[in-house]
Amino acid sequence: MNAYTYIRPKPRSATGKPRGLLLIIIGLVGAMAFPSPLAAQGEDATCPSWYIGLQGGVPFGTSTFSSFGADKTRAGYDLGIHLGYRFNPVLSLEGQATWGEFGQGVRDCCTNYWLGSDLHRYEAAVAGMDGWRYDGLKGHVSVQRYALQLNANLLGLFPKTRNGRWRVELSPQLAAVGTKSYLQTLSDNHAILMRDTRWHLGAGGNLQVSCRLTSRLSLGLYSGLTWLTGAPLDALPEYRHGENYIWESGLRLGFCLGGK
C-alpha cells in the first residue's frame, strides 16, 4: 500500500513529446536516402574497435493495461546512447542507457472492472466507496533502462558480405529496467495515484539492420521485445494478465572510433 502516492498534478499535455526527436528522425532518413560517395568505394566495414551512437524509438508497454488500449493506441518515445566494441565482422558487445515514456489504456476484456479507492479491483462499483471504472482511466509509464547487448552480424558469416555496407544483426539483451507509473482519468486528465519506481530484470533482444553511410558513420533500424520480471509495470492491481513487456522500434546512428 505504501508504494502508492495520491497526487494532484496539473494535467499533462498529450502533445508533450520533444519535437527534436522528429527532426532527428527526418535528418537520419534523409541521410540514408542520400548516402555519401565514400560508402560506395568498398572501404573496410568491420570497424574492429570502439564505437558510439545515439538511438531513438517508439515503445509500447503491455501489462494489466496496454498501450494498445480498447479506445486507442498510445505510442511513446525514448532516447538513448550506446557504447560498444566490435571484435570482428560478426560479434560486438555494447552497453546502452535509454530514457522514455509511453501511455496505456484498458484492454477490451476489462472495460467493466472497477478500481476502488482502496486500490483493489472489483467486478462492479462498491457502495460507499470512491472509485473509477477501468474504461474511464488511462496510464502513463516512465522508463529508464540500462542494458548490455551482444550483436551477432549474420552477414559477417559469409565472405561475400563480411565487409559490405550492410549488417543484419540478432541482438540478445539483459537490462535493469526502472518503471514509474501513474493513472489519470480520461474525462479531465486528473491524476489519481502514482506508483513509486520499481526495478525489473529485463531480458529480450532486437533484430537490427544497418547501412554504412561513410567509412565511420552508420544508420540502422531495430525492433525488439524486453520482458520484465516482478510486479506489473503499470499502476493497476495485478489480475488475469501475466504479460509484462515493452516492445520498441526505432533508429540507431553509430560512429566508429577506430579501425581502418
Short mmCIF file of all heavy atoms in Angstrom, two decimals, residues 14-60:
data_model
loop_
_atom_site.label_atom_id
_atom_site.label_comp_id
_atom_site.label_asym_id
_atom_site.label_seq_id
_atom_site.Cartn_x
_atom_site.Cartn_y
_atom_site.Cartn_z
N ALA A 14 -1.00 15.93 -24.05
CA ALA A 14 -0.81 14.73 -24.88
C ALA A 14 0.18 14.96 -25.99
O ALA A 14 0.63 14.04 -26.64
CB ALA A 14 -2.16 14.29 -25.48
N THR A 15 0.54 16.22 -26.20
CA THR A 15 1.48 16.54 -27.27
C THR A 15 2.82 16.99 -26.72
O THR A 15 3.55 17.72 -27.36
CB THR A 15 0.89 17.64 -28.18
OG1 THR A 15 0.66 18.80 -27.39
CG2 THR A 15 -0.40 17.19 -28.83
N GLY A 16 3.17 16.52 -25.52
CA GLY A 16 4.38 16.98 -24.88
C GLY A 16 5.64 16.28 -25.32
O GLY A 16 6.69 16.46 -24.74
N LYS A 17 5.60 15.42 -26.32
CA LYS A 17 6.80 14.72 -26.77
C LYS A 17 7.74 15.70 -27.47
O LYS A 17 7.32 16.61 -28.16
CB LYS A 17 6.41 13.59 -27.73
CG LYS A 17 5.49 12.59 -27.07
CD LYS A 17 5.04 11.52 -28.04
CE LYS A 17 4.07 10.56 -27.39
NZ LYS A 17 3.59 9.54 -28.30
N PRO A 18 9.04 15.52 -27.28
CA PRO A 18 10.00 16.50 -27.81
C PRO A 18 9.98 16.57 -29.32
O PRO A 18 10.06 15.56 -30.00
CB PRO A 18 11.35 15.97 -27.30
CG PRO A 18 11.13 14.54 -27.04
CD PRO A 18 9.69 14.42 -26.61
N ARG A 19 9.88 17.77 -29.83
CA ARG A 19 9.90 17.95 -31.28
C ARG A 19 11.25 17.59 -31.86
O ARG A 19 11.36 17.26 -33.04
CB ARG A 19 9.56 19.40 -31.61
CG ARG A 19 8.14 19.81 -31.18
CD ARG A 19 7.87 21.26 -31.52
NE ARG A 19 6.53 21.67 -31.11
CZ ARG A 19 6.07 22.90 -31.23
NH1 ARG A 19 6.84 23.85 -31.76
NH2 ARG A 19 4.84 23.19 -30.83
N GLY A 20 12.29 17.68 -31.03
CA GLY A 20 13.63 17.36 -31.53
C GLY A 20 13.75 15.95 -32.05
O GLY A 20 14.51 15.68 -32.98
N LEU A 21 13.00 14.99 -31.46
CA LEU A 21 13.06 13.61 -31.92
C LEU A 21 12.59 13.51 -33.36
O LEU A 21 13.19 12.79 -34.17
CB LEU A 21 12.20 12.73 -31.02
CG LEU A 21 12.09 11.25 -31.42
CD1 LEU A 21 13.48 10.61 -31.42
CD2 LEU A 21 11.16 10.52 -30.47
N LEU A 22 11.52 14.24 -33.72
CA LEU A 22 11.02 14.21 -35.09
C LEU A 22 12.07 14.76 -36.05
O LEU A 22 12.27 14.22 -37.14
CB LEU A 22 9.73 15.02 -35.18
CG LEU A 22 9.08 15.12 -36.57
CD1 LEU A 22 8.74 13.73 -37.10
CD2 LEU A 22 7.84 15.99 -36.52
N LEU A 23 12.75 15.84 -35.66
CA LEU A 23 13.77 16.42 -36.53
C LEU A 23 14.94 15.46 -36.73
O LEU A 23 15.50 15.35 -37.82
CB LEU A 23 14.27 17.73 -35.94
CG LEU A 23 13.23 18.86 -35.82
CD1 LEU A 23 13.84 20.08 -35.15
CD2 LEU A 23 12.68 19.22 -37.20
N ILE A 24 15.32 14.73 -35.64
CA ILE A 24 16.40 13.76 -35.76
C ILE A 24 16.02 12.66 -36.74
O ILE A 24 16.81 12.26 -37.60
CB ILE A 24 16.72 13.17 -34.37
CG1 ILE A 24 17.36 14.24 -33.48
CG2 ILE A 24 17.66 11.96 -34.49
CD1 ILE A 24 17.57 13.80 -32.05
N ILE A 25 14.79 12.15 -36.61
CA ILE A 25 14.35 11.06 -37.49
C ILE A 25 14.34 11.52 -38.95
O ILE A 25 14.80 10.81 -39.85
CB ILE A 25 12.95 10.58 -37.07
CG1 ILE A 25 13.05 9.90 -35.69
CG2 ILE A 25 12.36 9.63 -38.09
CD1 ILE A 25 11.71 9.49 -35.13
N ILE A 26 13.82 12.74 -39.19
CA ILE A 26 13.79 13.25 -40.57
C ILE A 26 15.21 13.37 -41.12
O ILE A 26 15.49 12.99 -42.26
CB ILE A 26 13.07 14.61 -40.62
CG1 ILE A 26 11.59 14.44 -40.27
CG2 ILE A 26 13.24 15.25 -41.99
CD1 ILE A 26 10.83 15.74 -40.15
N GLY A 27 16.14 13.87 -40.31
CA GLY A 27 17.51 14.02 -40.76
C GLY A 27 18.18 12.70 -41.06
O GLY A 27 18.90 12.55 -42.06
N LEU A 28 17.92 11.68 -40.22
CA LEU A 28 18.54 10.38 -40.42
C LEU A 28 18.00 9.68 -41.66
O LEU A 28 18.74 9.06 -42.42
CB LEU A 28 18.32 9.51 -39.19
CG LEU A 28 19.01 9.98 -37.90
CD1 LEU A 28 18.74 8.99 -36.78
CD2 LEU A 28 20.50 10.15 -38.11
N VAL A 29 16.68 9.79 -41.86
CA VAL A 29 16.10 9.18 -43.05
C VAL A 29 16.65 9.84 -44.31
O VAL A 29 16.95 9.20 -45.31
CB VAL A 29 14.57 9.29 -43.01
CG1 VAL A 29 13.95 8.86 -44.33
CG2 VAL A 29 14.02 8.42 -41.89
N GLY A 30 16.83 11.17 -44.26
CA GLY A 30 17.40 11.87 -45.40
C GLY A 30 18.83 11.43 -45.68
O GLY A 30 19.23 11.27 -46.82
N ALA A 31 19.60 11.22 -44.61
CA ALA A 31 20.98 10.77 -44.79
C ALA A 31 21.03 9.38 -45.42
O ALA A 31 21.92 9.08 -46.23
CB ALA A 31 21.70 10.76 -43.44
N MET A 32 20.10 8.52 -45.05
CA MET A 32 20.09 7.16 -45.61
C MET A 32 19.68 7.18 -47.07
O MET A 32 20.14 6.37 -47.88
CB MET A 32 19.14 6.28 -44.80
CG MET A 32 19.31 4.80 -45.07
SD MET A 32 18.38 3.80 -43.91
CE MET A 32 19.26 2.25 -44.06
N ALA A 33 18.80 8.13 -47.41
CA ALA A 33 18.35 8.20 -48.80
C ALA A 33 19.44 8.72 -49.73
O ALA A 33 19.46 8.40 -50.92
CB ALA A 33 17.12 9.10 -48.89
N PHE A 34 20.37 9.54 -49.19
CA PHE A 34 21.44 10.11 -50.00
C PHE A 34 22.78 9.83 -49.33
O PHE A 34 23.42 10.73 -48.78
CB PHE A 34 21.24 11.62 -50.16
CG PHE A 34 19.93 11.97 -50.79
CD1 PHE A 34 18.86 12.36 -49.99
CD2 PHE A 34 19.74 11.89 -52.16
CE1 PHE A 34 17.65 12.68 -50.56
CE2 PHE A 34 18.53 12.21 -52.73
CZ PHE A 34 17.48 12.60 -51.94
N PRO A 35 23.25 8.58 -49.35
CA PRO A 35 24.50 8.23 -48.68
C PRO A 35 25.71 8.89 -49.33
O PRO A 35 25.70 9.24 -50.50
CB PRO A 35 24.56 6.70 -48.83
CG PRO A 35 23.74 6.41 -50.03
CD PRO A 35 22.64 7.44 -50.04
N SER A 36 26.74 9.01 -48.52
CA SER A 36 27.98 9.62 -49.01
C SER A 36 28.63 8.75 -50.07
O SER A 36 28.57 7.52 -50.00
CB SER A 36 28.95 9.80 -47.83
OG SER A 36 30.24 10.08 -48.29
N PRO A 37 29.30 9.35 -51.07
CA PRO A 37 30.01 8.55 -52.08
C PRO A 37 31.07 7.65 -51.46
O PRO A 37 31.42 6.62 -52.04
CB PRO A 37 30.64 9.62 -52.99
CG PRO A 37 29.79 10.83 -52.82
CD PRO A 37 29.32 10.79 -51.39
N LEU A 38 31.61 8.01 -50.28
CA LEU A 38 32.62 7.18 -49.65
C LEU A 38 32.09 5.79 -49.34
O LEU A 38 32.83 4.82 -49.33
CB LEU A 38 33.09 7.84 -48.34
CG LEU A 38 33.86 9.14 -48.47
CD1 LEU A 38 34.19 9.71 -47.10
CD2 LEU A 38 35.14 8.91 -49.27
N ALA A 39 30.79 5.68 -49.08
CA ALA A 39 30.23 4.39 -48.71
C ALA A 39 30.22 3.41 -49.87
O ALA A 39 30.09 2.21 -49.67
CB ALA A 39 28.80 4.58 -48.19
N ALA A 40 30.35 3.90 -51.07
CA ALA A 40 30.28 3.01 -52.23
C ALA A 40 31.66 2.60 -52.73
O ALA A 40 31.79 1.92 -53.74
CB ALA A 40 29.52 3.71 -53.36
N GLN A 41 32.72 3.04 -52.01
CA GLN A 41 34.06 2.78 -52.51
C GLN A 41 34.69 1.53 -51.93
O GLN A 41 35.85 1.25 -52.17
CB GLN A 41 34.94 4.00 -52.21
CG GLN A 41 34.48 5.24 -52.97
CD GLN A 41 35.28 6.47 -52.59
OE1 GLN A 41 36.24 6.38 -51.83
NE2 GLN A 41 34.90 7.61 -53.13
N GLY A 42 33.93 0.77 -51.12
CA GLY A 42 34.39 -0.52 -50.65
C GLY A 42 35.41 -0.48 -49.54
O GLY A 42 36.24 -1.37 -49.40
N GLU A 43 35.40 0.56 -48.66
CA GLU A 43 36.34 0.59 -47.54
C GLU A 43 36.01 -0.55 -46.58
O GLU A 43 34.94 -1.11 -46.58
CB GLU A 43 36.26 1.90 -46.74
CG GLU A 43 35.96 3.15 -47.43
CD GLU A 43 34.53 3.41 -47.69
OE1 GLU A 43 33.79 2.49 -48.07
OE2 GLU A 43 34.16 4.56 -47.55
N ASP A 44 36.96 -0.82 -45.69
CA ASP A 44 36.78 -1.85 -44.67
C ASP A 44 35.63 -1.45 -43.76
O ASP A 44 35.62 -0.38 -43.18
CB ASP A 44 38.06 -1.98 -43.86
CG ASP A 44 37.95 -3.05 -42.79
OD1 ASP A 44 37.00 -3.84 -42.83
OD2 ASP A 44 38.83 -3.08 -41.93
N ALA A 45 34.62 -2.33 -43.62
CA ALA A 45 33.43 -2.02 -42.83
C ALA A 45 33.39 -2.77 -41.52
O ALA A 45 32.40 -2.74 -40.82
CB ALA A 45 32.17 -2.35 -43.64
N THR A 46 34.45 -3.50 -41.18
CA THR A 46 34.41 -4.32 -39.98
C THR A 46 34.48 -3.49 -38.71
O THR A 46 34.02 -3.90 -37.66
CB THR A 46 35.56 -5.34 -39.98
OG1 THR A 46 36.80 -4.64 -40.01
CG2 THR A 46 35.44 -6.27 -41.17
N CYS A 47 35.11 -2.33 -38.77
CA CYS A 47 35.22 -1.43 -37.62
C CYS A 47 35.69 -2.19 -36.38
O CYS A 47 34.98 -2.27 -35.40
CB CYS A 47 33.87 -0.76 -37.35
SG CYS A 47 33.92 0.61 -36.17
N PRO A 48 36.91 -2.77 -36.39
CA PRO A 48 37.34 -3.61 -35.27
C PRO A 48 37.82 -2.77 -34.09
O PRO A 48 39.01 -2.79 -33.72
CB PRO A 48 38.47 -4.43 -35.88
CG PRO A 48 39.07 -3.50 -36.89
CD PRO A 48 37.92 -2.68 -37.44
N SER A 49 36.95 -2.00 -33.52
CA SER A 49 37.35 -1.10 -32.44
C SER A 49 36.11 -0.58 -31.74
O SER A 49 35.01 -1.10 -31.91
CB SER A 49 38.18 0.04 -33.01
OG SER A 49 38.71 0.84 -31.99
N TRP A 50 36.29 0.44 -30.94
CA TRP A 50 35.19 1.05 -30.21
C TRP A 50 34.26 1.83 -31.15
O TRP A 50 34.69 2.37 -32.15
CB TRP A 50 35.73 2.00 -29.14
CG TRP A 50 36.47 1.30 -28.05
CD1 TRP A 50 37.83 1.13 -27.96
CD2 TRP A 50 35.92 0.66 -26.90
NE1 TRP A 50 38.15 0.43 -26.83
CE2 TRP A 50 36.99 0.13 -26.15
CE3 TRP A 50 34.61 0.49 -26.43
CZ2 TRP A 50 36.80 -0.55 -24.96
CZ3 TRP A 50 34.43 -0.19 -25.24
CH2 TRP A 50 35.51 -0.69 -24.52
N TYR A 51 32.99 1.90 -30.76
CA TYR A 51 32.03 2.74 -31.47
C TYR A 51 31.04 3.33 -30.47
O TYR A 51 30.83 2.79 -29.38
CB TYR A 51 31.29 1.96 -32.56
CG TYR A 51 30.44 0.81 -32.07
CD1 TYR A 51 29.09 0.99 -31.75
CD2 TYR A 51 30.98 -0.47 -31.93
CE1 TYR A 51 28.31 -0.07 -31.31
CE2 TYR A 51 30.21 -1.53 -31.48
CZ TYR A 51 28.87 -1.32 -31.16
OH TYR A 51 28.10 -2.37 -30.72
N ILE A 52 30.46 4.46 -30.84
CA ILE A 52 29.47 5.13 -30.01
C ILE A 52 28.26 5.44 -30.89
O ILE A 52 28.33 5.36 -32.13
CB ILE A 52 30.01 6.43 -29.38
CG1 ILE A 52 30.45 7.42 -30.48
CG2 ILE A 52 31.15 6.14 -28.43
CD1 ILE A 52 30.86 8.78 -29.94
N GLY A 53 27.14 5.81 -30.26
CA GLY A 53 25.99 6.14 -31.07
C GLY A 53 24.82 6.65 -30.26
O GLY A 53 24.81 6.64 -29.03
N LEU A 54 23.83 7.13 -31.00
CA LEU A 54 22.56 7.59 -30.45
C LEU A 54 21.45 6.70 -30.98
O LEU A 54 21.56 6.12 -32.06
CB LEU A 54 22.29 9.04 -30.86
CG LEU A 54 23.32 10.09 -30.46
CD1 LEU A 54 22.96 11.43 -31.09
CD2 LEU A 54 23.39 10.22 -28.95
N GLN A 55 20.37 6.60 -30.23
CA GLN A 55 19.22 5.85 -30.69
C GLN A 55 17.94 6.47 -30.16
O GLN A 55 17.93 7.12 -29.12
CB GLN A 55 19.30 4.39 -30.25
CG GLN A 55 19.38 4.17 -28.75
CD GLN A 55 19.78 2.75 -28.42
OE1 GLN A 55 20.89 2.30 -28.71
NE2 GLN A 55 18.84 2.01 -27.81
N GLY A 56 16.90 6.33 -30.92
CA GLY A 56 15.59 6.84 -30.53
C GLY A 56 14.51 5.94 -31.08
O GLY A 56 14.60 5.47 -32.22
N GLY A 57 13.49 5.67 -30.27
CA GLY A 57 12.48 4.72 -30.70
C GLY A 57 11.09 5.07 -30.21
O GLY A 57 10.86 6.07 -29.53
N VAL A 58 10.17 4.19 -30.58
CA VAL A 58 8.76 4.31 -30.20
C VAL A 58 8.39 3.06 -29.42
O VAL A 58 8.24 1.98 -30.01
CB VAL A 58 7.87 4.46 -31.45
CG1 VAL A 58 6.40 4.57 -31.04
CG2 VAL A 58 8.29 5.67 -32.27
N PRO A 59 8.26 3.14 -28.09
CA PRO A 59 7.94 1.97 -27.28
C PRO A 59 6.44 1.83 -27.02
O PRO A 59 5.69 2.82 -27.02
CB PRO A 59 8.69 2.24 -25.97
CG PRO A 59 8.65 3.74 -25.85
CD PRO A 59 8.67 4.29 -27.26
N PHE A 60 6.02 0.60 -26.80
CA PHE A 60 4.66 0.25 -26.38
C PHE A 60 4.78 -0.71 -25.20
O PHE A 60 5.60 -1.63 -25.24
CB PHE A 60 3.88 -0.42 -27.51
CG PHE A 60 3.78 0.38 -28.77
CD1 PHE A 60 4.76 0.28 -29.74
CD2 PHE A 60 2.71 1.22 -28.99
CE1 PHE A 60 4.68 1.02 -30.92
CE2 PHE A 60 2.61 1.96 -30.16
CZ PHE A 60 3.59 1.85 -31.14
#
